[in-house]
Amino acid sequence: MALIGSEDKLKKRDMAPDFKLKGTDGNFYNLNDIKGKKATLIVFICNHCPYVIPKLPELNRIAKDFKSKGVVIIGINSNDSENYPEDSFSKMQAFVNEGKVKFYYLLDKTQNIARTYGALCTPDPFLFDEGLKLVFHSRIDDTHKQEEANRHEMYEAIAQLLEKGSIKIKENPSMGCSIKWKESTD
């Protein structure tokens, strides 16, 4: 698996692009309907990426610890499931049913949302404030794969945003597998 970094298509204070995507429960969700009252973390993930799997416990911890404080996590899978069947909708549902993902997990079947956000890798997290303005586009922690994290940067960033209204942590690009893009039929 090639390790690639995220890019900054969305700039600080840009509004989160809206979407209507299918969740693992079969319902369709608009961003404005499920956003957090204080913050929303949108993270592009998938089922099979060796860089995502070790981050799921941390994402679940963030979801649990900050839910009562008005923070919502939304996972979006944009991978091509025809060529990567382990990222199929039914496998996404299994991930949720098995407790591996304990937050919204939505399917970006057309890959348009990943392109709109400028997401390139998995995981690729975007933190938005209560007005859905981008405040932090950075990695989840300071490790890759199975290494033990020294610093849980996203957790700290959310805590700073909630406590102080700003984030002082340096942004570092997220690193992971590339999103598995569908082959163009043009």
Side-chain angles (χ1 to χ4, degrees):
M1 301 270 161
L3 183 66
I4 68 161
S6 59
E7 69 173 26
D8 290 323
K9 181 175 183 178
L10 289 181
K11 304 297 180 205
K12 284 270 178 68
R13 310 303 301 158
D14 281 355
M15 292 294 295
D18 198 8
F19 52 73
K20 184 174 185 177
L21 297 173
K22 187 176 184 178
T24 53
D25 62 1
N27 294 319
F28 283 85
Y29 294 95
N30 289 317
L31 174 57
N32 284 312
D33 294 337
I34 59 174
K35 70 178 183 169
K37 290 182 180 178
K38 296 290 184 180
T40 303
L41 176 60
I42 296 174
V43 57
F44 289 84
I45 61 174
C46 65
N47 298 342
H48 84 279
C49 175
Y51 300 100
V52 169
I53 292 167
K55 304 300 181 202
L56 292 176
E58 178 65 1
L59 290 170
N60 288 330
R61 180 175 82 109
I62 291 170
K64 178 181 171 252
D65 288 0
F66 292 110
K67 181 179 183 178
S68 66
K69 296 177 179 167
V71 178
V72 168
I73 296 183
I74 302 167
I76 299 177
N77 178 2
S78 299
N79 275 3
D80 170 14
S81 63
E82 284 187 33
N83 289 310
Y84 297 88
E86 59 270 24
D87 290 326
S88 70
F89 187 71
S90 63
K91 297 275 175 96
M92 289 171 60
Q93 290 174 310
F95 252 49
V96 171
N97 292 336
E98 293 165 6
K100 294 177 183 173
V101 173
K102 298 178 182 179
F103 45 86
Y104 289 103
Y105 195 16
L106 311 179
L107 177 63
D108 177 20
K109 190 173 185 174
T110 66
Q111 301 184 316
N112 290 337
I113 302 308
R115 291 183 199 286
T116 301
Y117 277 74
L120 294 178
C121 63
T122 55
D124 202 351
F126 298 78
L127 180 62
F128 297 91
D129 67 11
E130 62 191 10
L132 289 176
K133 291 183 181 174
L134 183 65
V135 292
F136 194 67
H137 179 210
S138 189
R139 62 193 184 185
I140 295 166
D141 59 35
D142 63 350
T143 64
H144 301 297
K145 290 195 176 181
Q146 298 294 336
E147 302 163 12
E148 187 68 31
N150 295 308
R151 187 165 186 203
H152 298 279
E153 296 164 2
M154 188 59 68
Y155 193 100
E156 292 176 32
I158 293 169
Q160 285 182 10
L161 179 64
L162 295 176
E163 292 169 18
K164 300 175 182 160
S166 63
I167 299 168
K168 300 295 181 203
I169 297 171
K170 179 184 179 286
E171 291 182 331
N172 293 290
S174 186
M175 303 291 284
C177 297
S178 68
I179 289 178
K180 306 308 182 223
W181 301 106
K182 295 177 183 181
E183 292 186 26
S184 176
T185 57
D186 296 339

